[in-house]
Amino acid sequence: SQTIHQWPATLVQPVGSPLSLECTVEGTSNPNLYWYRQAAGRGLQLLFYSVGIGQISSEVPQNLSASRPQDRQFILSSKKLLLSDSGFYLCAWSLGRTGGYGGELFFGEGSRLTVL
Amino acid sequence: EDKVVQSPLSLVVHEGDTVTLNCSYEVTNFRSLLWYKQEKKAPTFLFMLTSSGIEKKSGRLSSILDKKELFSILNITATQTGDSAVYLCAEEGTYKYIFGTGTRLKVLA
């Protein structure tokens, strides 16, 4: 069966510090991968998605970046965090089928980031 | 630009009530419409709808899609306190899943 792991679960970082959140998927090949951010009391905002190794699409201009160094690994990074980067970050995956019919979106447990 | 709008934003009901949550969408290259329930952490999957007019049902929850009018509804009958959560609607376009802001449901005992 497929599983998705995301870490760290929580972190508190000072403004201006770097960030690295990691996500790995097991039990499937060539998944589509996603990073979402959820501010308190809000819906999920799509940040990045990837349909293959090294292929990253950015949805929202910001000081975050994403990378996919391996088929089932997705990393969210920042060189210098802002207060506005605080939130709940979710990694997710769907089947990587031709034409984009991914079906159900499966989520990791999330990473809660507080920037002070 | 793809867009998903949910209403109401929040709702307070008493146990036993029936609720209807709404989701409208504007999307190019529609693939599917999904509903999720979010309590404290990650959203959990409820339904995926691809065809118009076919109701999906799971216990007290049901959902239907209208592809002509571009909306979906989620019904919860005989609500329980355990139904208290944020309910998220998402549309799947080409490779992207766009979520609405969610409906926060609180069920009072």
Side-chain angles (χ1 to χ4, degrees), chain B residues 19-37:
Chain B
V19 298
T20 298
L21 309 182
N22 304 294
C23 174
S24 64
Y25 62 93
E26 299 172 19
V27 60
T28 52
N29 300 317
F30 175 85
R31 298 288 189 264
S32 66
L33 190 291
L34 302 100
W35 284 96
Y36 286 83
K37 177 182 181 182

Side-chain angles (χ1 to χ4, degrees), chain A residues 19-42:
Chain A
L19 171 73
S20 181
L21 301 179
E22 294 195 32
C23 171
T24 59
V25 180
E26 296 176 359
T28 189
S29 298
N30 305 313
N32 294 333
L33 297 172
Y34 304 83
W35 278 112
Y36 287 88
R37 178 170 61 198
Q38 186 173 34
R42 306 285 294 274

Side-chain angles (χ1 to χ4, degrees), chain B residues 6-61:
Chain B
Q6 291 187 246
S7 64
L9 290 180
S10 64
L11 194 55
V12 180
V13 301
H14 288 92
E15 272 192 319
D17 288 349
T18 294
V19 298
T20 298
L21 309 182
N22 304 294
C23 174
S24 64
Y25 62 93
E26 299 172 19
V27 60
T28 52
N29 300 317
F30 175 85
R31 298 288 189 264
S32 66
L33 190 291
L34 302 100
W35 284 96
Y36 286 83
K37 177 182 181 182
Q38 185 179 28
E39 295 176 87
K40 294 188 177 176
K41 288 202 170 181
T44 54
F45 175 76
L46 295 175
F47 299 109
M48 184 174 76
L49 304 147
T50 56
S51 301
S52 235
I54 298 176
E55 184 182 51
K56 292 247 178 143
K57 199 169 172 66
S58 175
R60 296 176 294 102
L61 278 66

Side-chain angles (χ1 to χ4, degrees), chain A residues 2-62:
Chain A
Q2 302 92 355
T3 56
I4 177 169
H5 302 284
Q6 181 181 345
W7 70 95
T10 59
L11 64 167
V12 180
Q13 296 285 102
V15 169
S17 64
L19 171 73
S20 181
L21 301 179
E22 294 195 32
C23 171
T24 59
V25 180
E26 296 176 359
T28 189
S29 298
N30 305 313
N32 294 333
L33 297 172
Y34 304 83
W35 278 112
Y36 287 88
R37 178 170 61 198
Q38 186 173 34
R42 306 285 294 274
L44 274 60
Q45 179 187 34
L46 179 61
L47 301 176
F48 301 95
Y49 68 94
S50 171
V51 299
I53 296 174
Q55 301 178 58
I56 307 296
S57 296
S58 173
E59 288 295 297
V60 181
Q62 62 226 323

